[in-house]
Amino acid sequence: MQVRATVHRDFTISKIDDRLYAAFIEHMGRAIYSGIYEPGHAQADKHGFRRDVASLVRDLKIPAIRYPGGNFVSAYRWEDGIGPKEERPVRLDLAWRSRETNQVGINEFASWANELGIDMMLAVNLGSRGIEEARNFMEYVNHPSGTYWSDLRRSHGAEKPYGVKMWCLGNEMDGPWQIGAKPAREYGRLADETAKALRALTPDAELIVCGSSNDEMPTYPEWERVVLEECYEHVDHISLHKYFGNSSRDTLNFFGKIEETGRYINAIGGVIDFVKAKKRAKNDVHICFDEWNVWYHRREEDSRNWRTWDWPEAPELLEETYTFEDTLFIGGLLNEFIRRSDRVKIACIAQLVNVIAPIRADKGGKAWRQSIYWPYQMASLYGRGTALRVAVDGPKYDCAVASDVDYLDVAAVQGDGTVTLFIINRHLDQVLDLSLSLHGFDATLEEHKVIEGHDLMATNGPEAEPIAPVNGSGLGIEGHVLRGKLGPLSYHVVRLRV
Ligand code: AHR
């Protein structure tokens, strides 16, 4: 099958915000405890953080990380996680019916993130708590000294303020499962007033207000309109969350859900524009897609377990094992974020370790890379710069969730003297014969990595990681055209020097 694509140097979409490749980690399951933190593990550093896990995290070059939740944050008392560890209270985590020991709190997490060069994006509890606790938390984190909370932080060994800029105003406040869920108008008012308090403390804070928990919520997208009408001028981003699955075992339809995500971004973009116009506002609000991933492999089983279990400490929860099909899906979703980088400025893979995560860490054992680690890493390493438009002219398909879906999925990013193409052949059994014209570029092929040839249900594990990029072949530059054959169900990263 022939497919033509065209890229032009002057046809740009947007400068990509590096935070498009951010991550999320929550106090739940084994994400923190026996995930990133496991004192006593052979690889633990003097603070109890696992070096093997940190090394896999470092290789992802993550720009920012959202913490500490998620649903967890909506009944969390951040003060429980500061001061001498032996004096910290053990609490019941209402979100996941678990026991929270508070051995990791803001200072431990900050030193872990700082060591890895990752900026923190902190969420405040607007479920069971409100403005007072949020401003205290920010004062503890960001104020230099001379006040109760800042001096308390200094007494805990953190002399310098952390200077955290990104703050989430609660989590999924529309969700009936959320502790302290609220109607849109009420939440919008609270978010607006919380924003006022937080901005008084950190004037250049970037504030993220909660959008719907997903695009299937009954109140979506009315929720976004009402919330933004209350707080538009005082926030910088609105959050989107979406998790994906392929329970019906229909691969092409699964891939079609990426188009659905494009429609979700369009719809919220429309709501943002509507409210901006209605309010005659001057500022822009962007999209912060702060939870996204595949989540279905053991969702039902998990949900049966945690709703009835007896408040365990760091239980196995949401430990999805990802497949090669998920590699292709995640590669495509990241391509969509690149194409929508005009609207989406921050996106967080949910989550980072053990819980629906690209990295798994066995308790007392090995840390290993799941199949989805690779497209995330490739995008984070090479997807920085300016997103270029790509016109595709080739075979298409229809599926339940979308029509006219291209079998060829391409995103293009111009960096410093480079153009990187992220290319996926989504066809189940056909080779695509590609000719991709590069207008305005004199290009040479620098590197071609490919992931292909696996069974769709193949997985990585602690013993072996067969799903990983290898050097590709069969693609070459002829004049200003990249030509070559793309095998069925293959993911490619093509790096050009220009
Ligand atoms: O990431 C798991 C959960 O999914 C988060 O806690 C919540 O925000 C979402 O519903």
Side-chain angles (χ1 to χ4, degrees), residues 389-497:
R389 288 188 192 287
V390 186
V392 173
D393 179 12
K396 297 174 191 289
Y397 69 90
D398 293 336
C399 58
V401 296
S403 309
D404 283 339
V405 183
D406 284 303
Y407 281 107
L408 180 78
D409 179 2
V410 191
V413 178
Q414 181 171 14
D416 191 11
T418 60
V419 167
T420 300
L421 302 163
F422 300 93
I423 307 177
I424 302 162
N425 177 0
R426 309 196 258 212
H427 207 292
L428 301 181
D429 50 33
Q430 295 292 308
V431 169
L432 291 180
D433 198 350
L434 174 72
S435 55
L436 188 149
S437 306
L438 295 148
H439 290 270
F441 294 111
D442 282 325
T444 51
L445 181 60
E446 189 163 281
E447 190 178 30
H448 172 201
K449 292 281 182 198
V450 61
I451 310 179
E452 65 181 342
H454 302 281
D455 185 275
L456 277 177
M457 289 297 112
T459 56
N460 287 350
E463 303 312 330
E465 298 176 16
I467 302 166
V470 296
N471 288 329
S473 61
L475 286 181
I477 299 278
E478 292 171 22
H480 288 93
V481 183
L482 175 75
R483 284 190 206 283
K485 297 200 191 308
L486 309 168
L489 299 171
S490 57
Y491 169 82
H492 306 254
V493 179
V494 180
R495 299 183 59 222
L496 306 173
R497 174 82 24 213

Side-chain angles (χ1 to χ4, degrees), residues 152-263:
L152 187 62
R153 183 200 66 242
R154 293 170 64 228
S155 78
H156 293 153
E159 179 58 34
K160 289 214 174 92
Y162 295 118
V164 173
K165 292 283 185 318
M166 290 167 276
W167 292 82
C168 303
L169 303 171
N171 177 69
E172 295 188 347
M173 300 306 302
D174 61 328
W177 58 86
Q178 201 72 216
I179 303 295
K182 298 164 182 39
R185 192 69 66 191
E186 186 182 335
Y187 169 65
R189 288 278 307 124
L190 177 61
D192 194 47
E193 290 301 322
T194 308
K196 189 198 289 177
L198 296 187
R199 256 196 223 294
L201 280 163
T202 308
D204 59 348
E206 273 185 69
L207 301 178
I208 299 133
V209 69
C210 294
S212 299
S213 300
N214 58 67
D215 53 348
E216 284 164 27
M217 298 298 289
T219 47
Y220 161 85
E222 183 66 358
W223 169 274
E224 281 80 354
R225 179 186 68 79
V226 175
V227 166
L228 283 177
E229 279 181 5
E230 293 297 333
C231 65
Y232 187 95
E233 289 96 332
H234 301 129
V235 300
D236 302 281
H237 306 265
I238 183 158
S239 72
L240 269 65
H241 291 181
K242 193 168 170 72
Y243 292 99
F244 304 85
N246 184 19
S247 308
S248 60
R249 299 262 31 87
D250 180 343
T251 300
L252 290 180
N253 193 55
F254 184 39
F255 295 156
K257 293 180 182 179
I258 293 164
E259 304 271 318
E260 205 180 42
T261 308
R263 296 201 295 267

